[in-house]
């Protein structure tokens, strides 16, 4: 399985830090955010990685290179301006290929996430070995998280392992997912397109699977949050693990 790391965002809320440093290169507990991802992906045996970038992307390439020093094979999808998440996938499709792939946001801090769990979540056959009709099989598998303070209403419901738009309780999409490339068939490479509407439409069709991840999860959004993550253990807020 290949992985894509979304690293094209401008990081407006992290200014002035992101005026000179791309958000994925901000250091948390001794490592740039994106390095945490690369190291943990390789640990799980996922070594083919595609990274899209726009703002100050040359710094990302300078740090990671071809990935060989981490045991990875890294390719880059260079965007003149950020194309949003679905647009980024469409632009990188020639690098990702047509098999299911993992995608994660570069600005997540998820040091304990075990990426081996993503390798067998999208199934083509039922328990008896019968192929699912294309319109019945999941087109993606999402990792949801308990709602953080900044997003108390959540995004999706979850019934057993089926993600839905209206169910309760509600959970927040953790920006970690496994996708079939067919989900992006309607997106023209080079166009701007968000992932959210595609997920909503697929959930409406009953084609989104998922589960709840309860380990440490931080979507880095503010300078204060970065400072809290890097504070000594005794000085961190209870919500910061």
């Amino acid at each position: 399985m290949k992985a894509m790391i979304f690293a094209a965002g401008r990081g407006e809320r992290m200014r002035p830090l992101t005026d000179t440093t791309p958000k994925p290169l901000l250091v948390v507990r001794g490592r740039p955010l994106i390095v945490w991802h690369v190291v943990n992906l390789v640990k799980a045996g996922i070594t083919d990685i595609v990274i899209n970038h726009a703002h100050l992307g040359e710094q990302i390439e300078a740090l990671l290179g071809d990935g060989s020093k981490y045991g990875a094979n890294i390719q880059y999808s260079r965007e003149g301006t950020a194309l949003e998440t679905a647009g980024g996938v469409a632009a990188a499709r020639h690098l990702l290929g047509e098999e299911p792939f993992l995608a994660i946001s570069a600005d997540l801090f998820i040091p304990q996430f075990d990426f081996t769990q993503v390798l067998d979540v999208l199934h083509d056959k039922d328990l008896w070995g019968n192929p699912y009709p294309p319109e019945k099989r999941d087109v993606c598998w999402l990792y949801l998280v308990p709602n953080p303070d900044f997003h108390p209403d959540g995004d999706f419901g979850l019934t057993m392992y089926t993600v839905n738009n209206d169910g309760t309780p509600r959970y927040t999409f953790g920006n970690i997912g496994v996708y079939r490339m067919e989900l992006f068939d309607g997106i023209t490479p080079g166009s701007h397109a968000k992932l959210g509407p595609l997920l909503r439409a697929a959930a409406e069709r009953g084609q989104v699977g998922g589960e709840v991840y309860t380990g440490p999860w931080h979507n880095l959004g503010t300078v204060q949050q970065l400072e809290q993550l890097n504070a000594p253990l005794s000085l961190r807020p209870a919500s910061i693990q």
Side-chain angles (χ1 to χ4, degrees), residues 131-230:
Y132 287 120
E135 69 276 8
K136 296 293 185 181
R137 68 182 185 177
D138 289 337
V139 294
C140 57
W141 185 275
L142 307 183
Y143 288 88
L144 310 177
V145 297
N147 298 330
D149 292 341
F150 64 82
H151 195 57
D153 296 330
D155 298 305
F156 296 103
L158 184 67
T159 304
M160 297 297 287
Y161 291 103
T162 298
V163 173
N164 50 69
N165 290 320
D166 302 315
T168 56
R170 307 282 291 174
Y171 298 97
T172 294
F173 174 40
N175 294 329
I176 309 166
V178 180
Y179 305 92
R180 296 188 194 274
M181 191 56 78
E182 67 193 64
L183 182 66
F184 304 92
D185 281 348
I187 309 299
T188 303
S191 63
H192 291 73
K194 295 184 177 182
L195 179 61
L198 301 182
L199 298 181
R200 293 286 180 196
E204 189 66 27
R205 299 192 303 268
Q207 289 187 278
V208 180
E211 61 188 281
V212 178
Y213 172 67
T214 58
W217 179 91
H218 302 281
N219 189 349
L220 197 64
T222 65
V223 174
Q224 180 187 30
Q225 188 181 13
L226 178 64
E227 293 172 347
Q228 290 174 339
L229 283 168
N230 283 326

Side-chain angles (χ1 to χ4, degrees), residues 19 24 30 37 50-51 53 89 92 103 120 125 138 148 166 204 230-231:
D19 287 340
H37 285 338
V50 175
I51 298 173
H53 64 67
V89 171
D120 186 32
K125 297 179 180 179
D138 289 337
D166 302 315
E204 189 66 27
N230 283 326

